[in-house]
């Protein structure tokens, strides 16, 4: 089949969950289909990565959007538009004409759009459109607005969130096929829009063989790990909760323990945590994420907002790292508390569970082994790609 894929990011290098997902699926699906990739980029330096993607794509074209989101132009356009800021900052008029020309010059079977905010680029067409929702955007922004300290901004944010909610639901209803990351996301969307649009679940995955290839030495000092790209609001909220609410309780009982924060684009506030506490280390992006997972004793994932499956959970399990997570952090994965992970939802409960697990090596080994087995049997990219291929074939000509 001939597929036109649209992404709001270049799927390489692997700095975010979206990039990891798209890149790995491209590698798998390229063996079965001819894929043309249209992606947005922020700067010309990203063009150096096109060659990597051309290994798997028939054609790759990139289109430049604003380098920084909060430009005067973007803010003014949002103020006078029915579209939310999320759509405006990712909207490039040139893409609409380019897609129109591409569809006219070749016979495509499908259009695959990653995220609802790529949908406004698609001109009127009879070609089936698949919309992949990696998360439910408006829920994440609602959580952020509720917790924002600058309360005078809340009314403005709420106006924009209403726009996000309207257009996200609009495109759920008006695509030919919707893809979610979990059964929970699917059920949530069905409650919002009914059964107008067919919905399939194609979860996130993990390259289990890659994580098994290389083992790094575990740190001698008991180390708790926090992982996540900090361009995503739920990850920022999770680290703030961990450092401010959970970490003091752990440190009071175990002053020998270290907290290691790893992830692309840490905010100034996150970087400052290390300056104020010598037991906290902030590494930002690391060259090989396996070093972080294998080197730590426990992954802590106190996530309280957002939808979609979490790469940090899948990658930690593939690495054999024991996990303590909130219910939301493991939602949709099908893991069992006490078997593949430990689930705790309150600061005191997370802290006590962590202290107990640090003292229980047999439970650490059990979680490590069963987590690796579970992710290999359920979330390897080969299995995920097969599910996406089934969706393609169900809509293709």
């Amino acid at each position: 089949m001939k597929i036109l894929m649209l992404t709001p990011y270049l799927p390489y290098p692997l700095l975010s969950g979206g990039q990891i997902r798209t890149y790995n699926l491209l590698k798998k699906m390229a063996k079965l289909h001819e894929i043309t990739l249209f992606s947005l980029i922020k700067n010309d330096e990203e063009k150096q990565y096109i060659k990597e993607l051309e290994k798997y794509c028939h054609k790759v074209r990139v289109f430049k959007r604003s380098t920084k989101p909060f430009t005067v132009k973007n803010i003014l356009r949002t103020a006078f538009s029915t579209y939310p800021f999320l759509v405006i900052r990712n909207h490039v008029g040139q893409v609409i004409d380019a897609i129109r020309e591409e569809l006219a010059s070749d016979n495509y079977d499908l259009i695959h759009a990653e995220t609802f905010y790529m949908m406004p680029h698609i001109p009127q067409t009879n070609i089936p459109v698949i919309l992949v929702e990696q998360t439910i955007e408006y829920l994440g922004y609602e959580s952020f607005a509720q917790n924002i300290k600058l309360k005078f901004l809340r009314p403005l944010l709420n106006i924009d969130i209403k726009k996000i909610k309207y257009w996200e639901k609009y495109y759920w209803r008006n695509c030919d096929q919707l893809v979610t990351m979990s059964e929970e996301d699917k059920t949530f969307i069905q409650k919002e829009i009914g059964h107008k649009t067919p919905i399939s679940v194609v979860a996130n995955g993990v390259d289990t063989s890659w994580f098994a290839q290389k083992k790094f030495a575990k740190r001698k000092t008991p180390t708790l790990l926090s992982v996540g790209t900090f361009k995503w609001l739920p990850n920022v909220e999770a680290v703030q909760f961990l450092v401010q609410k959970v970490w003091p309780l752990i440190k009071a009982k175990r002053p020998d323990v270290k907290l290691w924060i790893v992830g692309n684009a840490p905010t100034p506030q996150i970087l400052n945590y290390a300056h104020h506490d010598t037991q906290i280390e902030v590494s930002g992006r690391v060259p090989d994420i396996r070093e972080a997972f294998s080197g730590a004793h426990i992954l802590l994932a106190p996530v309280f907002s957002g939808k979609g499956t979490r790469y940090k959970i899948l990658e930690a399990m593939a690495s054999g790292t024991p996990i303590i997570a909130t219910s939301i952090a493991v939602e949709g994965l099908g893991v069992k508390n006490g078997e593949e992970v430990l689930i705790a939802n309150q600061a005191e409960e997370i802290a006590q569970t962590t202290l107990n697990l640090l003292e229980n090596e047999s439970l650490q080994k059990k979680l490590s082994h069963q987590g690796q087995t579970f992710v290999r049997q359920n979330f390897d990219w080969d299995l995920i790609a097969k599910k996406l291929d089934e969706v393609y074939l169900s809509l293709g000509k």
Side-chain angles (χ1 to χ4, degrees), residues 264-283:
N264 186 46
T267 65
Q269 181 186 20
I270 292 172
L271 290 171
N272 281 334
Y273 289 146
H275 297 310
H276 294 97
D277 188 335
T278 57
Q279 294 299 102
I280 297 178
E281 177 183 350
V282 179
S283 297

Side-chain angles (χ1 to χ4, degrees), residues 291-308:
E291 179 181 358
F293 286 118
S294 297
H297 292 72
I298 301 170
L299 174 77
L300 298 180
V303 179
F304 293 98
S305 64
K307 288 283 188 178

Side-chain angles (χ1 to χ4, degrees), residues 100-315:
R100 187 178 288 113
E101 292 171 7
E102 187 69 29
L103 298 181
S105 67
D106 215 333
N107 295 317
Y108 280 88
D109 300 300
L110 289 174
I111 299 173
H112 172 148
E114 287 283 329
T115 74
F116 88 91
Y117 44 91
M118 287 303 291
M119 294 290 284
H121 294 104
I122 303 174
Q124 186 68 37
T125 178
N126 293 323
I127 298 172
V129 176
I130 295 174
L131 169 58
V132 178
E133 284 285 73
Q134 297 181 15
T135 186
I136 297 174
E137 293 288 350
Y138 77 80
L139 293 179
Y141 283 93
E142 283 179 343
S143 175
F144 174 75
Q146 289 169 4
N147 296 307
I148 193 169
K149 293 181 179 179
L150 301 175
K151 293 184 179 181
F152 69 90
L153 290 177
R154 197 173 294 168
L156 292 174
L157 281 172
N158 286 335
I159 291 171
D160 200 61
I161 291 166
K162 286 181 180 179
K163 291 183 182 181
I164 295 175
K165 189 173 183 178
Y166 172 83
W167 285 107
E168 197 162 21
K169 288 185 178 182
Y170 174 86
Y171 288 115
W172 290 348
R173 294 187 183 98
N174 286 278
C175 64
D176 295 284
Q177 173 75 47
L178 190 62
V179 170
T180 65
M181 302 297 102
S182 68
E183 288 290 343
E184 284 76 6
D185 286 9
K186 175 181 176 178
T187 300
F188 180 90
I189 291 175
Q190 284 177 332
K191 288 180 180 178
E192 294 291 299
I193 66 169
H195 293 269
K196 178 177 174 55
T197 304
I199 305 177
S200 297
V201 177
V202 181
N204 288 324
V206 65
D207 189 341
T208 56
S209 61
W210 185 76
F211 278 93
Q213 278 174 10
K214 191 174 182 181
K215 290 295 181 184
F216 291 85
K218 195 177 293 293
R219 291 184 167 194
K220 293 181 180 179
T221 301
T223 302
L224 310 176
L225 178 66
S226 172
V227 171
T229 178
F230 299 113
K231 291 184 178 181
W232 199 48
L233 292 175
N235 285 336
V236 176
E237 294 171 351
V239 170
Q240 290 172 345
F241 178 85
L242 176 59
V243 173
Q244 296 170 12
K245 304 292 185 181
V246 180
W247 175 239
L249 301 176
I250 296 172
K251 190 178 176 183
K253 297 287 183 68
R254 288 289 301 266
D256 60 318
V257 173
K258 284 206 167 188
L259 175 60
W260 188 13
I261 300 172
V262 174
N264 186 46
T267 65
Q269 181 186 20
I270 292 172
L271 290 171
N272 281 334
Y273 289 146
H275 297 310
H276 294 97
D277 188 335
T278 57
Q279 294 299 102
I280 297 178
E281 177 183 350
V282 179
S283 297
R285 181 191 175 195
V286 295
D288 191 332
I289 194 63
R290 292 175 296 184
E291 179 181 358
F293 286 118
S294 297
H297 292 72
I298 301 170
L299 174 77
L300 298 180
V303 179
F304 293 98
S305 64
K307 288 283 188 178
T309 46
R310 324 285 178 174
Y311 284 101
K312 63 173 72 70
I313 303 298
L314 300 178
E315 292 177 345

Side-chain angles (χ1 to χ4, degrees), residues 7-10 39-47 50 62-67 92:
T7 64
Y9 46 75
L10 200 65
S39 297
L40 304 185
I41 60 172
K42 294 181 181 179
N43 53 68
D44 290 332
E45 292 179 4
E46 293 181 69
K47 292 180 179 178
I50 292 175
V62 295
F63 305 86
K64 196 171 180 182
R65 65 178 177 90
S66 59
T67 303
V92 181

Side-chain angles (χ1 to χ4, degrees), residues 5 7 11 19-33 35-37 39 53 55-57 60 388 392:
M5 182 179 289
T7 64
Q19 289 172 309
I20 293 169
R21 175 186 175 85
T22 306
Y23 178 77
N24 280 282
L25 287 175
L26 276 174
K27 286 174 65 177
K28 303 296 181 182
M29 303 307 288
K31 300 173 184 178
L32 305 171
H33 307 286
I35 300 175
T36 292
L37 177 67
S39 297
L53 296 165
K55 296 176 184 178
Y56 312 109
C57 299
V60 178
L388 181 59
Y392 281 178

Side-chain angles (χ1 to χ4, degrees), residues 24 205-215 290 314-315 317-319 371-383:
N24 280 282
V206 65
D207 189 341
T208 56
S209 61
W210 185 76
F211 278 93
Q213 278 174 10
K214 191 174 182 181
K215 290 295 181 184
R290 292 175 296 184
L314 300 178
E315 292 177 345
M317 284 196 287
S319 302
Q372 283 183 309
T373 301
F374 179 85
V375 78
R376 186 171 55 249
Q377 293 177 347
N378 295 280
F379 289 96
D380 187 84
W381 280 120
D382 285 330
L383 300 172

